[in-house]
Amino acid sequence: MLLRGGTLALRRTRWGRAVMAIGGNVEAARRAGINVKRVYLSVFAACSTLAAVGGLFLAARLAAANQSSGGEPTNLNAIAAAVIGGTSLFAVAGRPGQLCSACW
């Protein structure tokens, strides 16, 4: 459901097109009339919210939250899942389906 909502938001809304334009070329997006700072702020807010929700889910799964939760093995697994899922480390373009393949 989150994947479908994110896909619709990025592909069908004005905000999503602005995000993709800024990801392609910031200066071209700025010259096209997109308020880059406002879009950056909204994207960082959305990412922070999703990270907080993910942290809550992790704390609920571990039944505890302390400084050692989510240490080295968790970070390595997350990076490996992103790379195996097909996320390009050098390009800006991405596909929503990469999230599904990273989860499996």
Side-chain angles (χ1 to χ4, degrees), residues 34-60:
I34 297 172
N35 188 348
V36 174
K37 289 184 179 181
R38 182 176 56 114
V39 175
Y40 270 160
L41 183 65
S42 66
V43 169
F44 283 127
C47 288
S48 299
T49 303
L50 291 174
V53 170
L56 290 173
F57 283 147
L58 180 64

Side-chain angles (χ1 to χ4, degrees), residues 5-19:
T7 302
L8 288 175
L10 284 176
R11 293 193 177 179
R12 306 283 178 152
T13 64
R14 183 177 176 190
W15 175 80
R17 290 190 181 113
V19 170

Side-chain angles (χ1 to χ4, degrees), residues 30-92:
R30 182 176 290 120
R31 290 182 186 212
I34 297 172
N35 188 348
V36 174
K37 289 184 179 181
R38 182 176 56 114
V39 175
Y40 270 160
L41 183 65
S42 66
V43 169
F44 283 127
C47 288
S48 299
T49 303
L50 291 174
V53 170
L56 290 173
F57 283 147
L58 180 64
R61 181 178 176 205
L62 296 175
N66 55 30
Q67 293 176 342
S68 65
S69 297
E72 300 253 346
T74 305
N75 291 337
L76 182 62
N77 290 340
I79 293 169
V83 172
I84 291 170
T87 301
S88 174
L89 299 176
F90 305 107
V92 217

